[in-house]
Amino acid sequence: MTVKSSRPTSKVSLLVLSILALIWLLPTIGLLITSVRERTEAQRTGWWDVILNPLSQKWELGSYASVLSESDLGRSFISSLAVTIPAPILPLLFAAYAAYGFTFLTFKGREFYFALIIGLLVVPLQGALVPVLKMFISFTETTGIEISGQYAAAWFVHSAFAMPLAIYILRNYMMTIPNSLIEAARVDGGSDFTMYRYVAAPLLKPGIATVAVFTALGTWNEFLLAMIYIQNESYKTIPVGLLTFSTRYSTDYQMLFAALTVITIPMIIIYIAFNRQIVAGLTEGSLK
């Protein structure tokens, strides 16, 4: 009996994956090249001209110095942090408890309610902009507490739209926990809160990391909600602040791409740091 070598297949797979990775990285490569090209060249020709004729190009790093010193990127960076950091925390506080209930508690209509929550994933964000804004205005008129235009508006909206996906991911991951662990804790007299805290929660770390990173990435890059609900120049986030590099008649591509490069670095670091937890959180539930 002969065993066929899988080396040719592995080489083909590696080649295909390398090509796909290169295609995926093309926008990032263009971003980096444009940010360090001379301004007139960046405005006049495409970044691919560098690849076609690399020796005739002029390079400069002044765009990065200008972005960090002359623009309001620093203030927008702080505003984005103020919005992004609480955004994963609020949905996780509730989604983890909900996922535990949908997994280990038995109650009437459990599957229906879970299907209803999953159905909220298809609700378009744009369809809720006006109702949510009216709700904020009504709340302000009733209580006198201003929400719209503040960071709190973005916290509530991002948390609400992140909740269905968080429940779905955490429930799938929690289904990998053996029922015997929960039953053993229940036999020992543990309450549902005790079983969640000491049995389920410690095993949920990969799932929690997955939800936190996905929510943070979505919040960091989100433009529409920040523009509508944070209508305050002092609180504008980075995606809104990038509009300053573009006018009605022209766009400073060198400065814009330099700013994009700077603000992308924190999310890349976070993704690399939690890469193993993200993969585990997405695959464990499917391997049940």
Side-chain angles (χ1 to χ4, degrees):
M1 180 178 179
T2 59
V3 179
K4 294 182 179 181
S5 175
S6 61
R7 182 171 299 177
T9 304
S10 300
K11 290 182 177 179
V12 172
S13 301
L14 180 61
L15 178 62
V16 172
L17 291 175
S18 300
I19 294 174
L20 291 176
L22 179 61
I23 295 174
W24 186 267
L25 288 173
L26 278 178
T28 305
I29 295 173
L31 185 109
L32 294 173
I33 291 176
T34 305
S35 66
V36 295
R37 294 182 70 192
E38 190 180 39
R39 178 168 298 181
T40 56
E41 292 294 327
Q43 295 289 117
R44 188 171 59 88
T45 61
W47 63 268
W48 49 87
D49 287 355
V50 175
I51 300 176
L52 299 176
N53 193 7
L55 299 179
S56 64
Q57 302 296 321
K58 296 180 180 179
W59 309 96
E60 60 180 29
L61 297 175
S63 57
Y64 287 93
S66 299
V67 162
L68 296 175
S69 61
E70 299 175 7
S71 67
D72 293 331
L73 188 64
R75 185 172 61 182
S76 298
F77 189 90
I78 295 175
S79 296
S80 288
L81 287 178
V83 173
T84 302
I85 292 176
I89 297 175
L90 295 177
L92 282 172
L93 291 176
F94 300 98
Y97 287 109
Y100 176 86
F102 283 121
T103 306
F104 297 113
L105 301 183
T106 302
F107 54 91
K108 187 177 181 180
R110 183 179 67 173
E111 297 302 325
F112 170 77
Y113 291 126
F114 181 72
L116 185 62
I117 291 176
I118 298 305
L120 294 176
L121 289 171
V122 303
V123 176
L125 175 66
Q126 294 80 2
L129 294 178
V130 175
V132 171
L133 186 59
K134 288 183 177 180
M135 182 182 67
F136 286 159
I137 295 174
S138 177
F139 180 82
T140 301
E141 293 175 350
T142 303
T143 63
I145 301 175
E146 185 71 30
I147 294 181
S148 182
Q150 308 296 322
Y151 290 141
W155 296 341
F156 293 143
V157 176
H158 283 296
S159 299
F161 279 96
M163 194 78 68
L165 181 61
I167 295 175
Y168 176 74
I169 293 177
L170 293 180
R171 180 180 182 267
N172 286 347
Y173 191 83
M174 201 171 290
M175 289 177 66
T176 63
I177 300 176
N179 288 327
S180 58
L181 292 178
I182 302 299
E183 293 300 328
R186 185 174 284 114
V187 169
D188 290 339
S191 63
D192 287 319
F193 178 77
T194 301
M195 289 185 289
Y196 167 79
R197 180 178 179 182
Y198 294 103
V199 179
L203 300 175
L204 273 182
K205 292 180 180 179
I208 291 174
T210 302
V211 174
V213 172
F214 280 174
T215 305
L217 286 173
T219 305
W220 183 267
N221 296 321
E222 209 286 319
F223 169 77
L224 186 59
L225 293 179
M227 185 179 66
I228 292 177
Y229 296 118
I230 310 180
Q231 297 178 358
N232 190 325
E233 287 295 322
S234 300
Y235 299 151
K236 64 181 180 181
T237 59
I238 285 176
V240 179
L242 292 177
L243 290 176
T244 58
F245 300 108
S246 179
T247 64
R248 181 178 179 181
Y249 301 103
S250 65
T251 299
D252 192 340
Y253 291 106
Q254 188 196 41
M255 293 281 288
L256 176 61
F257 286 10
L260 287 171
T261 303
V262 171
I263 66 175
T264 303
I265 293 175
M267 292 299 105
I268 293 177
I269 294 174
I270 291 176
Y271 187 83
I272 293 175
F274 293 95
N275 180 57
R276 182 173 299 179
Q277 289 82 355
I278 292 173
V279 173
L282 290 176
T283 57
E284 287 290 345
S286 62
L287 299 177
K288 174 67 175 175

